[in-house]
Amino acid sequence: MTKKILIIDDEEDVRTYLNSLLTNNGYHTKVADNGEDGFRKLTEFFPDLIILDIIMPNQSGVGFYRKLKKSEVHKDIPVIILSAVTQYKDFFAHDHQSAPRPQEFLEKPFSPQELLKKIATYIK
Amino acid sequence: MSTHQIDISKWDPTRNDYPQLFQRIPCYISVQNHELRIVQTNQLFQQDFGNRVGELCYEVYKGRSSPCPECPVVKTFADGQVHSNEEMVITRDGQEAFVIVYTSPLYNDQGQIVAVMEMSTNITNIKRLQTDLSLMGQTVATMAHSIKNILTGLDGGIYVVNSGLQQGDKTETLKGWEIVQRNVARISSLVKDILYCAKKREHILSIIEPNQVVREVFELFRGTAALEHIELVLDVEPKLGLILFNAEDLHTILSNLVHNAIEACKFDVNRRDHRIVLRSILKGPLAVFEVEDNGPGLPEEWENYLFTGMLSTKGRYGTGLGLLVTRKIVNELGGQITFSSRTPGEGSVFRVTFPIRSASSPQSSPDTEASSVLTQ
């Protein structure tokens, strides 16, 4: 069965890139341009994994992640943070009590092979 | 040879040449009594602050009407210890100077503290260098951040082009090529922003009517805001008359802030009744300019990164350098920029504060509140 990935990034070029990369590698994808849009997509699509940017308008990746971890239905979906922010871990630093910090970070610009490898460790 | 020069060939440490040393030492020295009145000053002090013997030190140094909080002189009177502090003072020609102050007790024959000597070293140039270095570091970090985003876009474009070529899909190939072109254009835009940010500007002050600049910025953006269905509101304080400032700098600062507010509202899909207020306020000795919007606001976790240039919520449209440039100009003019965000989703306020240098008396000193702004 085709595995599903939700891509949340405010940059259209990055969404197009990830969409093309993942589709070519056999994944089924949906895209969202911010955290709120991401949650809307979750109502119509239950992904096996989420690729999440941090800095986005309306709802940031941090806000989305917090909300995701509070959702009984979605809290166990693995998340890979994909961001150009070098101190990305700091954004989640004070969040450890309400939600565990995301385990997977990948810094932009990223190696597509590395991303595919990380994805493969979560969904096979 | 003047009376203040010491003939080193005749130097005798047992002779009382200390008054000459006191006069010639390249620091500001003042001796103050219990009332904080200046009873003695040295040559450099007199050169930069005038002959102010008999006057209160806080009036002389800062134009204040009450003693400074955490005054090291008061502390030395209380405990007889040496104290130090970093302060901002105003010289007789109205220039701001950062000084590091040391205080030491002076005793009478009975061992009682009768006065305190305050010795201040001017560290203004060091402070400026610190600020410049800090801004340079942030600019480099911002450039790196922006370049990383552009590289990701270019990687993406190349991948999509290759994917389209391999599949013989012309539409896909063109889509990838557009991404490449767009990101090359972003490099060009980034380079322009960097050059603008790096340019050293002279802030030539003249007598201006700040409200006139506020109105010009309002007129400049009114059409753009209307196109995005955003109500731009002007709220000027008529009592804010003529001040000594740089009109071009004020225009740049306010334009950047209004532009950011419009962008924030434009990308906010949660409401339709967006409103931005461009405001001038007279607050005691301070000129305050505010840009308030009811856009999405900023999440608390972003506040530490706000003026670092790392943040742009405009996706491919922003480099994040705008606020960095704004803060740089504000700092160079001795002002302060602050940000406050209400409940998430309820907008934000950017506030720029400057001590007023009155057009009629350009050497007038800012009072308590202004001093605290300037020293931050």
Side-chain angles (χ1 to χ4, degrees):
Chain A
M1 191 177 169
T2 309
K3 297 291 183 183
K4 292 177 284 185
I5 297 177
L6 176 60
I7 299 159
I8 309 177
D9 198 303
D10 64 328
E11 289 217 35
E12 189 188 339
D13 294 347
V14 177
R15 293 198 300 271
T16 306
Y17 177 20
L18 290 171
N19 195 38
S20 183
L21 173 70
L22 299 178
T23 307
N24 286 347
N25 283 276
Y27 296 106
H28 178 47
T29 61
K30 271 202 189 290
V31 295
D33 59 13
N34 62 64
E36 281 179 3
D37 190 25
F39 254 94
R40 275 193 293 276
K41 293 290 188 309
L42 284 180
T43 59
E44 56 192 70
F45 176 85
F46 197 98
D48 297 289
L49 184 138
I50 296 168
I51 296 175
L52 180 64
D53 186 18
I54 295 179
I55 297 168
M56 295 178 288
N58 292 318
Q59 190 179 57
S60 70
V62 180
F64 174 88
Y65 185 78
R66 279 183 190 153
K67 201 171 162 188
L68 186 83
K69 289 295 157 187
K70 285 178 186 164
S71 161
E72 280 302 318
V73 183
H74 302 107
K75 68 179 182 186
D76 294 325
I77 301 173
V79 176
I80 296 176
I81 302 293
L82 184 63
S83 172
V85 177
T86 311
Q87 311 97 313
Y88 41 75
K89 289 183 181 174
D90 294 350
F91 280 86
F92 296 91
H94 65 287
D95 212 27
H96 62 280
Q97 285 180 337
S98 56
R101 190 189 264 178
Q103 291 302 303
E104 290 294 353
F105 294 94
L106 200 57
E107 201 172 322
K108 293 176 184 171
F110 60 93
S111 146
Q113 289 75 23
E114 196 182 345
L115 177 65
L116 292 170
K117 205 170 141 188
K118 277 188 189 291
I119 292 171
T121 60
Y122 288 97
I123 48 176
K124 290 170 183 157
Chain B
M1 186 176 288
S2 82
T3 53
H4 290 315
Q5 285 179 306
I6 299 165
D7 182 351
I8 196 72
S9 64
K10 296 175 183 171
W11 174 254
D12 175 1
T14 61
R15 217 179 62 197
N16 187 11
D17 276 327
Y18 295 115
Q20 293 182 49
L21 290 173
F22 174 81
Q23 288 296 337
R24 300 290 291 174
I25 198 160
C27 296
Y28 304 126
I29 298 184
S30 62
V31 177
Q32 295 161 29
N33 67 14
H34 279 281
E35 293 174 355
L36 303 179
R37 284 191 190 280
I38 295 171
V39 295
Q40 203 172 354
T41 58
N42 75 335
Q43 208 171 51
L44 189 64
F45 179 98
Q46 289 158 25
Q47 178 191 302
D48 285 359
F49 295 94
N51 184 13
R52 312 295 292 268
V53 168
E55 295 184 44
L56 293 160
C57 72
Y58 46 84
E59 285 181 1
V60 173
Y61 274 125
K62 296 191 175 185
R64 292 172 59 104
S65 53
S66 59
C68 309
E70 301 295 310
C71 170
V73 175
V74 171
K75 287 182 182 173
T76 296
F77 268 120
D79 62 13
Q81 301 296 308
V82 170
H83 289 275
S84 69
N85 209 359
E86 217 173 283
E87 304 275 350
M88 205 288 299
V89 296
I90 309 286
T91 59
R92 66 196 296 188
D93 57 0
Q95 296 296 309
E96 297 147 6
F98 286 94
V99 291
I100 186 153
V101 181
Y102 284 91
T103 55
S104 182
L106 301 177
Y107 296 92
N108 62 11
D109 293 343
Q110 285 78 49
Q112 296 160 323
I113 300 174
V114 290
V116 168
M117 181 185 72
E118 184 174 296
M119 187 170 81
S120 308
T121 307
N122 194 325
I123 54 165
T124 307
N125 287 339
I126 294 168
K127 275 281 182 193
R128 283 197 189 121
L129 275 174
Q130 276 179 347
T131 307
D132 285 353
L133 279 172
S134 165
L135 281 168
M136 190 190 293
Q138 285 169 9
T139 307
V140 170
T142 304
M143 282 164 54
H145 180 78
S146 297
I147 290 168
K148 281 158 73 180
N149 274 323
I150 294 168
L151 279 173
T152 308
L154 283 171
D155 279 349
I158 292 164
Y159 180 88
V160 177
V161 166
N162 284 336
S163 173
L165 289 173
Q166 280 167 13
Q167 293 165 24
D169 184 340
K170 194 177 173 188
T171 310
E172 185 78 352
T173 307
L174 283 174
K175 198 200 288 179
W177 186 239
E178 280 170 13
I179 296 176
V180 172
Q181 286 178 313
R182 203 156 40 228
N183 282 281
V184 169
R186 284 175 76 184
I187 296 174
S188 170
S189 171
L190 174 67
V191 169
K192 281 181 195 159
D193 279 356
I194 291 167
L195 289 175
Y196 184 86
C197 197
K199 190 178 169 189
K200 187 80 182 167
R201 286 175 187 75
E202 272 192 63
H203 304 286
I204 298 165
L205 304 181
S206 60
I207 297 166
I208 68 158
E209 189 187 344
N211 282 338
Q212 181 57 33
V213 179
V214 175
R215 283 189 197 96
E216 283 170 18
V217 173
F218 172 76
E219 289 300 332
L220 181 67
F221 285 96
R222 192 158 60 161
T224 313
L227 279 175
E228 302 295 339
H229 309 289
I230 299 165
E231 184 189 6
L232 185 60
V233 179
L234 183 67
D235 177 14
V236 294
E237 167 54 64
K239 287 179 191 161
L240 190 61
L242 298 175
I243 62 170
L244 199 62
F245 209 76
N246 183 301
E248 194 186 330
D249 287 334
L250 184 59
H251 197 282
T252 304
I253 291 164
L254 296 179
S255 296
N256 280 348
L257 294 179
V258 172
H259 172 76
N260 279 354
I262 290 174
E263 293 293 311
C265 292
K266 193 166 96 179
F267 286 100
D268 179 19
V269 294
N270 291 321
R271 64 193 309 162
R272 290 184 170 194
D273 57 336
H274 283 115
R275 191 167 188 264
I276 296 168
V277 184
L278 175 57
R279 190 179 287 127
S280 67
I281 302 165
L282 179 64
K283 191 178 175 190
L286 302 172
V288 182
F289 304 94
E290 284 183 355
V291 176
E292 179 182 349
D293 70 65
N294 63 352
L298 273 178
E300 59 177 321
E301 65 267 16
W302 289 12
E303 285 183 18
N304 291 339
Y305 300 89
L306 191 60
F307 295 103
T308 63
M310 298 281 187
L311 298 183
S312 170
T313 57
K314 296 166 211 158
R316 68 185 191 217
Y317 303 102
T319 60
L321 280 167
L323 269 182
L324 198 62
V325 171
T326 306
R327 192 183 71 165
K328 182 172 184 266
I329 299 171
V330 171
N331 281 353
E332 285 169 355
L333 287 164
Q336 187 188 27
I337 183 164
T338 57
F339 160 82
S340 58
S341 189
R342 293 186 290 267
T343 322
E346 288 298 319
S348 53
V349 184
F350 280 88
R351 185 174 296 109
V352 183
T353 308
F354 294 101
I356 294 175
R357 296 178 177 127
S358 164
S360 55
S361 55
Q363 291 185 12
S364 68
S365 306
D367 78 359
T368 313
E369 205 167 357
S371 296
S372 66
V373 168
L374 283 163
T375 51
Q376 284 174 17

